[in-house]
Amino acid sequence: MTVEASRMVDREGLIELDEGSDVRDSPRYNADIAPTKAHERTWSKWNVAALWVGMSICVPTYTLGGVLTAYFGLSVGEALFAILLANVVVLIPLTLNAFPGTKFGIPFPVVLRSSFGILGSNVPCLVRALVGCGWFGVQTMFGGLAIHLLLATIFPPWQALGGLGEVVGFFVFGAMNLYVVIRGAESIKWLETLAAPLLLAVAIGLMLWAWPHMSMTELLAQPPSRPEGAPVYGYFFAGLTAMVGFWATLSLNIPDFSRFAKSQKDQIVGQVLGLPMTMFFFAALGVVMTAASESLVGQTVADPVSLIGMIDNPFWVALAMLMIIIATISTNTAANIVSPTNDFQNVAPKLVDQTRGVLITGAVGVLLMGYDLLQKAGVISSGVSLEQMYSNWLLGYSSLLGPIAGIMAVDYFLIKRQQLDVPSLYQDGCAYPAVNWPGFVAFGIPVGLTVISLLTGTMYWFYDYGWFTGSALGAVIYYVASQLMSPVNVSATAAAIETDRMP
């Protein structure tokens, strides 16, 4: 029997895989993580920008200023500058790691097969997936609260349910998110494009509403919470690391979206337009709204959902809750469901398709939020400060994910020189090994040093600046290890593949 061979086709600079039976029948392939065809790459720079606007305008972004001032010892001005600078910095790995997705149409797990191996890619994939599931749970908690307050406003007896109403809202909101992703990439594109201008308009409206009720001069003049006379740089760079960590996840799995971009220019310009200023503006809105809350509702409230819920006007409360629901769906679907869905598929593509991957993501997210749900339902009591959780979590997982970002960029640009044997990425025993040990060495050493710094209390700076130290060290070690451990020369293999150019 003749095996139909796969080939790579160059369609005006975008490499498309023409799958033969050798790839389609492989256990590492399914249609949902297959390379996108050229005609499926429909996202313009405005769609990419809208994606980032939709993801950036969310409750956690709103609270970032408070996290930096309360737990990192920064003043308001220092905190806002750290947020802006962090999002400029994170553009570098975002745009670099988006390149293979745009050129070859492949998602994040398949890109990782080049640097960690066909089977080894599952380790960093599952690390990324668990972080995404955790964020899915946190965002769904906020969305569930918004649904609870919306129902209580429209139907006052609902208020009597209290925490149980929030639990019901959690599951309703989660189901809405999962449905959007099951519908596919075009559904997400439509949602983000619709939500972006609407959310920006609402954010500007909220800023205009709150601005007269606070003094920016007094706000900026407030002293930082760090010890008097302490040098700012240590606190600032720890906060900067945490803010970079906010999008450390997307700096890895950005190929999940860039695979739908029309060109490299579209993905680069779209990200530059959509990310830094949106994050800065919405974080600044959180600072302004929190400062104005004393005048608006009689007490300081850092949570926008709770603040708006205190407004004594049912119409505006209901409208605001609808906007928060839309904002949180637009963030949650793109940022926290797409990547885990693809990552779980990567483990067993023939058993887990997109729908099953989405359902697994939802189930894991619910399990990770089990403590909070039981607390809201009144089964258990006590809890942990949400801001404290953010600060610890952002530092912790940025230390874990930083090395992966550095490894991905070095592998694609320096080791493989932007050439990938795409058919072999979907097959065992071809151009790529089952486990690429340089990737694991480069990942394991920074993570090991982070664990040592936490356990011994020495080199604590390595943890505090975890994304920077991890990504830089991971990149250097991967480059050196790849030279010493004689990896497969994939550039030569890729060059030998038949490539047809459209007339």
Side-chain angles (χ1 to χ4, degrees):
M1 184 178 68
T2 301
V3 176
E4 183 186 357
S6 300
R7 60 179 182 167
M8 292 159 61
V9 182
D10 186 340
R11 300 186 186 278
E12 300 180 355
L14 299 179
I15 306 300
E16 178 181 292
L17 178 63
D18 185 8
E19 299 100 332
S21 58
D22 56 334
V23 166
R24 288 195 302 269
D25 296 339
S26 169
R28 309 300 159 208
Y29 173 93
N30 75 26
D32 294 318
I33 60 171
T36 53
K37 302 297 184 183
H39 72 270
E40 295 175 302
R41 304 182 197 181
T42 61
W43 291 39
S44 69
K45 59 181 176 292
W46 303 114
N47 297 127
V48 176
L51 172 75
W52 278 108
V53 172
M55 289 195 295
S56 298
I57 298 181
C58 60
V59 175
T61 302
Y62 181 101
T63 65
L64 290 181
V67 170
L68 290 178
T69 55
Y71 296 101
F72 287 89
L74 300 182
S75 67
V76 170
E78 293 164 351
L80 293 178
F81 179 63
I83 292 167
L84 178 61
L85 181 59
N87 285 281
V88 172
V89 168
V90 84
L91 275 175
I92 298 172
L94 275 167
T95 53
L96 290 178
N97 287 331
F99 265 73
T102 303
K103 182 175 181 178
F104 297 103
I106 53 178
F108 164 66
V110 178
V111 175
L112 273 185
R113 292 176 181 179
S114 172
S115 52
F116 284 85
I118 302 298
L119 297 179
S121 62
N122 287 309
V123 174
C125 275
L126 290 177
V127 170
R128 169 62 182 95
L130 289 176
V131 174
C133 290
W135 270 119
F136 166 76
V138 171
Q139 293 276 16
T140 303
M141 176 186 68
F142 286 123
L145 175 58
I147 286 180
H148 168 65
L149 292 175
L150 174 64
L151 292 175
T153 301
I154 298 173
F155 184 62
W158 183 272
Q159 184 67 42
L161 293 176
L164 185 59
E166 293 182 38
V167 174
V168 173
F170 177 95
F171 284 102
V172 171
F173 183 80
M176 293 165 62
N177 284 259
L178 300 180
Y179 175 74
V180 170
V181 181
I182 287 174
R183 292 287 302 273
E186 283 299 308
S187 178
I188 296 173
K189 172 186 168 183
W190 176 85
L191 173 66
E192 302 293 346
T193 304
L194 174 68
L198 184 64
L199 296 176
L200 280 175
V202 171
I204 292 170
L206 288 173
M207 182 69 85
L208 294 175
W209 174 57
W211 193 267
H213 297 274
M214 50 77 66
S215 169
M216 182 58 73
T217 303
E218 292 180 4
L219 188 63
L220 293 176
Q222 292 178 3
S225 59
R226 61 180 177 268
E228 187 175 354
V232 66
Y233 66 86
Y235 294 89
F236 180 83
F237 282 106
L240 181 69
T241 301
M243 294 305 98
V244 170
F246 192 82
W247 289 123
T249 51
L250 266 294
S251 70
L252 302 185
N253 77 282
I254 189 63
D256 288 333
F257 300 100
S258 67
R259 64 195 288 230
F260 297 102
K262 292 180 177 180
S263 67
Q264 298 292 3
K265 181 180 178 181
D266 282 297
Q267 69 92 356
I268 294 170
V269 173
Q271 295 198 84
V272 171
L273 290 175
L275 177 60
M277 292 310 300
T278 305
M279 285 290 292
F280 174 79
F281 174 70
F282 204 66
L285 173 64
V287 171
V288 169
M289 290 283 288
T290 301
S293 60
E294 178 69 35
S295 173
L296 293 170
V297 298
Q299 58 181 294
T300 300
V301 182
D303 174 8
V305 182
S306 300
L307 174 61
I308 294 171
M310 295 177 181
I311 299 173
D312 190 21
N313 186 313
F315 173 78
W316 289 113
V317 171
L319 183 62
M321 289 304 143
L322 281 173
M323 293 301 101
I324 289 174
I325 291 169
I326 292 172
T328 310
I329 288 178
S330 66
T331 300
N332 217 15
T333 52
N336 304 320
I337 303 178
V338 170
S339 181
T341 296
N342 288 339
D343 297 338
F344 290 131
Q345 289 185 78
N346 191 62
V347 176
K350 295 300 185 186
L351 297 177
V352 182
D353 59 8
Q354 178 166 297
T355 299
R356 290 175 180 172
V358 169
L359 295 177
I360 293 172
T361 299
V364 175
V366 170
L367 290 175
L368 291 176
M369 292 302 293
Y371 178 88
D372 186 78
L373 292 172
L374 290 173
Q375 181 179 304
K376 282 182 167 57
V379 178
I380 58 176
S381 58
S382 78
V384 180
S385 163
L386 192 59
E387 287 79 7
Q388 186 67 52
M389 180 189 69
Y390 283 161
S391 62
N392 291 335
W393 195 11
L394 288 169
L395 277 176
Y397 78 65
S398 67
S399 301
L400 194 61
L401 300 183
I404 302 175
I407 290 167
M408 287 176 66
V410 167
D411 179 74
Y412 183 68
F413 286 97
L414 299 183
I415 304 299
K416 307 299 167 48
R417 299 182 182 181
Q418 302 185 58
Q419 297 297 321
L420 296 176
D421 180 350
V422 178
S424 292
L425 288 172
Y426 289 90
Q427 300 177 79
D428 295 320
C430 290
Y432 301 92
V435 177
N436 188 38
W437 291 111
F440 281 92
V441 171
F443 177 63
I445 291 177
V447 171
L449 289 174
T450 299
V451 172
I452 291 172
S453 70
L454 287 173
L455 294 178
T456 65
T458 58
M459 293 198 315
Y460 209 74
W461 56 270
F462 196 90
Y463 171 74
D464 279 345
Y465 312 139
W467 189 88
F468 293 100
T469 54
S471 58
L473 187 59
V476 171
I477 293 175
Y478 182 73
Y479 183 80
V480 174
S482 294
Q483 306 304 314
L484 296 177
M485 301 175 77
S486 301
V488 176
N489 188 348
V490 180
S491 296
T493 306
I497 294 177
E498 179 182 2
T499 301
D500 295 336
R501 184 177 296 276
M502 288 185 67

